[in-house]
Amino acid sequence: MNPKETVKTIGSILLTKILFSPLGLVAVGIVLLLIVLPVFMSMASKGENFNLEDPDSNLSALSGAAGGAYCAPDGELNEALWDEQLASAGVFSGMGDVFQEVAEERGIDPVLMAAIALHETARGTSSAVVDKNNPGGLMGADGLMVFDSLEAGIASMGLTLHNRIIQDGLVTIADLGSVYAPIGAGNDPTNLNAHWVPNVTKVVSSLGGLTMNCTTSTGEFAQPVPNVTVNSNYGVRIDPFTGAISNHAGVDFACSEPDLIYAAKEGRVVFAEYPTQSGLNTYGNVVVIEHENKLFSLYAHLSQIDVAVGQEVSQLEPVGECGTTGRSTGDHLHFEIHTGSLFGTRVNPMPYLEGEPEE
C-alpha cells in the first residue's frame, strides 16, 4: 500500500467517526497533522531513503554485503571453517589449496568460488564432478563439459568466474545467479533456480563469509538481512490484518525462506522458541539476543531457529531462517530493538543499525 492509499484508508476510518461524533472533524485534523504526516516526515528525515511514492521499494541507507552474503569479519579466509567444510565435501576433500591458488590467479574470491562449486555439485558428490571433473556446471556445445582432471576443471571454473566477475562486473551472488541459474529459464520448469542465490549464500556463510567485493556495516549493529529492503517501518501504520490504525513496534525486512537471518550484534541468546504467552505468540518462531548496555535485538517469524538459549553468538552469526510463522502475511523478518529488559521498551531499530541510537 503506497502512502496515498494509506492516508486514504486512514481518512476512511476517521470519516466513520465523524458520522457518530460532532468532534470527529477535529479528530481528523489532529490525527493527520500530528500523527500521520510527522511519521512520514520522520521516515524521510532519518536517512532511511524512504520512498513516499513506492514504499515497497524502500532501501535503507546502510551498506551491506554483496549479493546477500556477509563478509568474513576480518576480511580474511576462515581457515578452520574452510578446512572443515571441504573435508566432508566428496571429491573436494584435500582440494582447498587448489581453489585458493586458482582464485588468487584469477583475482576472485575463493569463498565465493568454492561455495558455487559446493552448491553445483551437491557438495562434491554429483556425477558431473565425480565422472566429468566439472565442478562448476560448465556447459559446452555437447552439454556438460568433461575435464581430464579435477584440477583442470577447477581451473576452467576459475577462468569462467573471472570473466563473469572481473570482465562483466557480476560481483554479487545475485548477479552471478542471473547467469548460472536464471529464474524463469525454459529448462527449469519446477523453478529450482529460485533457490540458487539463497543456497549459495548459505554455503558462503558456512565457509565464514566473503573475503572480496563486500563491506561490513558501518554502525554498531549490522544488518540482520543483507542488502536490506524495508517493507514496513517502525511507527504508526495500517494493520495488515484489521485495517485499523496501529503502532508497529519494529521494522519489517524483506527476505524469503530459507534465507539466513544474522545476529545484528554479538551477545547472548536469551529467548529462542515459539511463544505460547498471549501477546507474544504473534511473533511465531522468535529469537532474542541480549547485548551490552541492556539492549536486546529480536528476530521474529523465523521458519527455523538455529540457536539455543544461553548460547553466545558473534555479530553476523546465523540465528535462524526467514519465514512467516506467527501473525504474518508472508515471508519477512520482523526486527525489534528493546531497551532496559527482555520484551521491554521497543524503540526504532533503524538509528541503531545506522550507528546513531536514539536517546
Side-chain angles (χ1 to χ4, degrees):
M1 180 180 291
N2 62 43
K4 293 180 180 178
E5 294 174 337
T6 300
V7 173
K8 183 178 179 181
T9 303
I10 294 173
S12 298
I13 295 169
L14 294 175
L15 185 59
T16 302
K17 301 293 185 181
I18 295 173
L19 297 178
F20 297 96
S21 170
L23 298 178
L25 186 57
V26 176
V28 172
I30 292 174
V31 171
L32 288 178
L33 291 176
L34 299 182
I35 299 180
V36 178
L37 293 180
V39 168
F40 288 154
M41 290 298 291
S42 68
M43 289 174 180
S45 67
K46 287 184 180 296
E48 295 170 17
N49 290 344
F50 192 80
N51 184 343
L52 293 177
E53 297 300 322
D54 184 11
D56 288 339
S57 69
N58 290 317
L59 297 175
S60 81
L62 307 176
S63 61
Y70 279 110
C71 296
D74 56 2
E76 300 294 332
L77 182 70
N78 187 319
E79 296 286 355
L81 288 177
W82 176 266
D83 292 341
E84 176 187 334
Q85 293 297 314
L86 290 179
S88 59
V91 298
F92 294 140
S93 178
M95 301 298 291
D97 289 344
V98 178
F99 276 110
Q100 292 186 51
E101 290 167 4
V102 171
E104 181 177 4
E105 177 185 357
R106 296 301 180 184
I108 59 178
D109 190 340
V111 171
L112 179 56
M113 181 181 181
I116 293 174
L118 289 169
H119 172 69
E120 288 288 329
T121 64
R123 299 187 63 82
T125 63
S126 71
S127 59
V129 71
V130 173
D131 300 330
K132 301 181 179 183
N133 294 315
N134 188 332
L138 303 181
M139 301 295 291
D142 299 322
L144 278 171
M145 298 175 67
V146 180
F147 298 95
D148 293 336
S149 67
L150 184 54
E151 289 83 355
I154 293 175
S156 183
M157 181 187 181
L159 175 60
T160 297
L161 286 176
H162 167 88
N163 293 340
R164 301 290 79 77
I165 296 170
I166 306 300
Q167 293 187 7
D168 298 344
L170 304 179
V171 298
T172 72
I173 295 176
D175 287 342
L176 286 170
S178 68
V179 173
Y180 259 89
I183 295 176
N187 62 352
D188 183 33
T190 58
N191 201 31
L192 290 176
N193 287 354
H195 302 289
W196 195 92
V197 170
N199 285 344
V200 170
T201 298
K202 197 167 186 176
V203 179
V204 164
S205 178
S206 74
L207 291 169
L210 297 173
T211 64
M212 298 176 63
N213 295 322
C214 61
T215 57
T216 55
S217 170
T218 58
E220 182 182 10
F221 282 73
Q223 297 176 23
V225 178
N227 297 327
V228 63
T229 298
V230 178
N231 280 349
S232 182
N233 255 289
Y234 174 91
V236 176
R237 69 170 184 173
I238 299 298
D239 188 288
F241 286 92
T242 67
I245 300 173
S246 65
N247 182 61
H248 192 218
V251 177
D252 289 346
F253 294 143
C255 61
S256 300
E257 185 180 352
D259 292 354
L260 289 175
I261 303 301
Y262 300 87
K265 194 176 187 297
E266 69 277 2
R268 182 174 62 90
V269 178
V270 293
F271 197 93
E273 62 182 78
Y274 195 121
T276 56
Q277 180 179 345
S278 177
L280 294 182
N281 53 17
T282 58
Y283 285 123
N285 288 323
V286 61
V287 168
V288 182
I289 301 172
E290 181 178 6
H291 313 285
E292 59 185 358
N293 299 322
K294 292 191 177 298
L295 291 176
F296 300 78
S297 58
L298 177 146
Y299 313 77
H301 306 311
L302 305 177
S303 62
Q304 177 175 304
I305 293 174
D306 294 332
V307 291
V309 171
Q311 179 177 338
E312 297 288 338
V313 295
S314 57
Q315 188 174 47
L316 301 181
E317 182 174 341
V319 299
E321 297 180 5
C322 178
T324 184
T325 56
R327 190 173 185 267
S328 170
T329 58
D331 286 355
H332 72 284
L333 172 69
H334 176 81
F335 179 74
E336 295 181 359
I337 293 289
H338 301 173
T339 62
S341 63
L342 176 64
F343 299 111
T345 302
R346 294 157 173 81
V347 297
N348 187 356
M350 296 307 289
Y352 285 84
L353 292 176
E354 296 170 358
E356 300 175 357
E358 292 181 329
E359 297 296 332

